[in-house]
Every structure is written in structure tokens, then in C-alpha cells.
Amino acid sequence: MSRLTSYRDIKKMVLDRIQSGAWPPGALIPRETELAAEFGCARATINRALRELAQAGVLERRRKAGTRVSMTPVRKATLDIPLIRREVEESGATHRHRLLTCEMSVPPAHIAARMGLPLERTALHVQTLHMADSAPYCLEDRWINPKAAPEALSADFAALSANEWLVQNIPISAGEIAFLAENASDADAEILNAAPGAALFVVERLTRIAQEAVTHVRIAYRPGYRMTTGI
Amino acid sequence: MSRLTSYRDIKKMVLDRIQSGAWPPGALIPRETELAAEFGCARATINRALRELAQAGVLERRRKAGTRVSMTPVRKATLDIPLIRREVEESGATHRHRLLTCEMSVPPAHIAARMGLPLERTALHVQTLHMADSAPYCLEDRWINPKAAPEALSADFAALSANEWLVQNIPISAGEIAFLAENASDADAEILNAAPGAALFVVERLTRIAQEAVTHVRIAYRPGYRMTTGI
DNA sequence: AAGTGGTCTAGACCACGTT
DNA sequence: ACGTGGTCTAGACCACTTC
């Protein structure tokens, strides 16, 4: 027999005890040393299993107080935020994109505020329509802070979409992301080939490098789009 | 100095090298043994740091091929799916709920199909309006498989919302979750006090225990709702 | 003060994928 | 075949919290 007691096995067994009701919500479970003895493995192995279950929200651990089954399982959903091109291609379609706008202009006040730009300061505005085969897939409306990403001014977004260019040229960074629903404006509707007022799934993302906003993007998906994941 | 080389420090230093551009997207980084020598710590420490960064989507690791900086930096967003009551309370408002429907009936075909129920089989249908202070917050439309959760038939959902009851009575389990946008139906609009056709942010969740569907829920939020998280 | 989880080490063996 | 990450061990010390 291969590895009788991998940390994966421990996780399964612990989950099993929870789901079977042997360890109900709120229950204190045995300490690591006891479980290690019971399962015949090192404490480090138990530790890894329990640590991962705690990270997943199944357990709550506190020094000295011990490990308990969560009372309110905070379910966490992990969403992948892929490149739009890849997302389209994985659905089996061909990805194309069309550059609609690429110019310096003054962003709307709420976007300037979120990016921390002074009012009236211009930024690079790039609008791109992404298509799956020949149908509109989503509309990317992006503002780029020229101070934080000066190279963007000379990039050719008609060749490589802004979405993809930024991923390849801006290092890993922090930011916020929001998901919401909006009624399609007349402009959105025409571009996405949707009915005016149709409910659109929208993702807004603000990306920073060292506190400074680099780019703000609003991606509005075609009607009917669903973002899915397991729990 | 305390801990010179905790796995957290390693993570920070690696992230720093990535964000500074020293290790650009796609770059192959040194192997674990080399980093351990450089930082003067055990390989296990390096392993934990790199493993967590890989889990966060920052690195991509493959045996024999080594560890690379992800080409697609912003890859994963983790959303907490809290109790609705807690979500409301954290915004500073008071949570109340009103039970609108609670009866056995035959679910629409697409829901029966997703739950794996035979056509015409009845299920428990529970509709709850959640309110923040006195304003509608979201509409919970839930179907419960009586075979998988028979105790639900005798629960008092007027006292404890179905959302909360299930969390407390059904053990942690697997499922799928989807986020989408829908135009408010006339019924939705009236209940949520929104304009008919308003774009609503909708979460649909299917919960299973051991392959069997326990409950399907559609939660439609009031117009203007945003689900946000860091990256 | 004492007990629990949190982390680190040094070494070992193994699994997987590339070559 | 071989090199890289994946995991496990046994032991140790530490940090935090409750008692």
C-alpha cells in the first residue's frame, strides 16, 4: 500500500466525520498530537490537513483553545479571472477583438476618483470589443494612468488587446474587483448587439502598483453570461 | 531579530522580485534548494512559501520543469459567501426577513433538471425577502429536496430564515455557484421595490451531499448591489 | 502558568514529467 | 534516465490565549 496517511487522507477523514455528524458544528475536535497518534502519522501531517481545512472555512483554530468545527461555514468561492482571449477559446470559439477607442481624454469623475487622479487630468481611454466567433462577447472599457504605465501610450492595442498587453507588461499587483449588474445603455446595447436595457453582468477592476492606480477596467458581458465555479 | 526566514518573509521577498520586474512574467525562478541556500533556511520553508504563492496564482509549478512566474497575474479572486444576515449587519443595518412562500410544489423544469429531480416531483419551495433596515435587500428563492433534507419540512422558516436554517442544519458540502445578471420580472420588481426590468445581480447555488442535490437557491439582490473583494 | 496550535529544521523518499 | 517539486518524519522551539 502506498502512503496510508497522506494529509489528503486526513482531510477526507476529518470531513467525513463532520459530514456524518460525528463532529457537529461547534464541536471541539481532538488536538493535533492525539490525531497524529490515532492516524499513526507525524503531527506535521495532521497540521497541514487541519490548516487547509481551516483556510477553507471548515474549521476554526485558536492556540490554546483548540480546533472547532465552524458554526457558520463561511463558504468561499474562488473565481478564476482568466484572459478574455483564453476564456473565449476555452468555450471552443475563436477569439477576435476590435479596437473601438484609443485616445487621451478626461475620465468621468467617479472613475477619476477611484483611480485617485486629479480632476481634468487626462488618461488613456481604450475601448475594445471582444468577440467569440463573430458574436460580441464582452465590451472592455479601460482607463490607463499614463504616469504609472507610460509604455502603454505607444502600445498597439489593435494588434494585442489592452487586456492582454497589460497582463504581459505590468507586473503582478494588488487591486480590488467588483461584480455587479447594469442595464445596457444604448451604446452598450448597440455594440453588444443586445436589447437596450438588457441586464449585463459587469466586472470592474482597479489595479494598483504600490498604492498608485495603474488601470481601471469595466468589462460588460453579453446578455446571458454566467460566471460559474465550484464551492 | 526574531525569525529571519519565516515562510512569510520568503513570500514577501519573492513577490518583491516579481513586482520589481527582476522576475518578469513567464520567468523561471531558481529551484527550491538554491533559494534555501540563498535565504539560509530549510527547503521545507521555501516550499511552503512557493506553494502558497502558486495557490494564489502568482507562480506556476511543475515537477522537473521548475517554477515560473505566472503569465496571467491576476488570476484568482476569492469571494466569501456569508450568511445574508451577517452581510446586512456588517453594512451597519438591521436585518429582518419576511417569509413569502413556504409550500410543497412542482419546481420549474430547469430547476428540477439541475437538481436531478424527476419531473412532476414536488419539492419544498421557500421564498424569503431579506431586508436591511426597512429596505428590501435581496430575494431568496429556494427549492429544497425533501428526500435529502426531510427535517426541513417541519422547520419554522418564519422564525429562522431558510438561508440560516440550512447553514446550521446541513453539514458542509459541495456544490456549484453561478453569478449572473437578470432583468427584474414584474414580481421581482414589486417585491424588491425596483423598476420592472431593472438589472439585478443574481447568485444561483446548488448544494449537494454525496451527489444528491439538497437545495437550489436563487438570490436576486436589489438594484445597485455590488459584490466586491480584493485581489 | 500551562496548553494548544504555528513554524522551522534536516533528512529522506517518492511521483511525475521532461528529456 | 534524471531532475524537480511533493510529501512525510521526528524533534524542537515559539507565540498566543486562555486559565
Side-chain angles (χ1 to χ4, degrees), chain A residues 4 40 65 68 97-98 109 121 133 141 161 174-175 182 192 224-225:
Chain A
L4 275 176
R68 297 181 172 278
H97 66 95
R98 205 166 74 218
R121 170 75 56 83
D133 291 332
D141 188 313
S161 79
E182 276 181 13
L192 287 170
Y225 177 82

Side-chain angles (χ1 to χ4, degrees), chain A residues 27-51:
Chain A
L28 191 64
I29 77 173
R31 42 182 150 283
E32 295 189 344
T33 50
E34 288 180 25
L35 290 174
E38 177 187 341
F39 290 124
C41 65
R43 179 166 80 97
T45 305
I46 300 291
N47 181 276
R48 177 160 180 191
L50 299 189
R51 182 178 3 113

Side-chain angles (χ1 to χ4, degrees), chain B residues 40-205:
Chain B
C41 65
R43 180 166 80 97
T45 305
I46 300 291
N47 180 276
R48 178 161 179 192
L50 299 188
R51 179 175 9 108
E52 292 193 357
L53 287 172
Q55 200 174 6
V58 174
L59 299 175
E60 286 173 7
R61 320 194 72 193
R62 263 155 48 217
R63 287 161 146 125
K64 167 75 179 176
T67 300
R68 295 179 173 280
V69 179
S70 254
M71 293 293 275
T72 62
V74 176
R75 255 198 17 198
K76 293 178 183 172
T78 306
L79 295 172
D80 284 358
I81 315 288
L83 281 178
I84 293 169
R85 177 173 59 76
R86 187 169 301 189
E87 190 177 350
V88 168
E89 287 170 354
E90 276 175 8
S91 76
T94 301
H95 172 261
R96 287 185 303 166
H97 65 94
R98 205 166 75 218
L99 185 61
L100 305 177
T101 306
C102 185
E103 62 185 20
M104 293 295 295
S105 60
V106 177
H110 72 280
I111 290 182
R114 285 179 68 184
M115 293 182 73
L117 295 177
L119 280 178
E120 307 303 324
R121 170 76 55 84
T122 60
L124 181 59
H125 186 205
V126 183
Q127 286 183 304
T128 310
L129 174 64
H130 295 264
M131 287 176 288
D133 292 332
S134 54
Y137 186 77
C138 68
L139 174 61
E140 172 187 355
D141 189 315
R142 186 181 290 278
W143 293 88
I144 301 174
N145 179 357
K147 218 173 107 195
E151 325 84 81
L153 296 178
S154 50
D156 177 9
F157 294 130
L160 189 69
S161 80
N163 179 259
E164 203 143 347
W165 186 91
L166 280 155
V167 160
Q168 291 183 16
N169 291 275
I170 301 295
I172 300 241
S173 45
E176 297 114 47
I177 191 164
F179 305 92
L180 54 142
E182 275 181 15
N183 290 102
S185 69
D186 291 349
D188 288 337
E190 185 175 340
I191 294 171
L192 287 170
N193 193 22
L200 303 180
F201 184 81
V202 173
V203 179
E204 285 187 4
R205 203 160 60 207

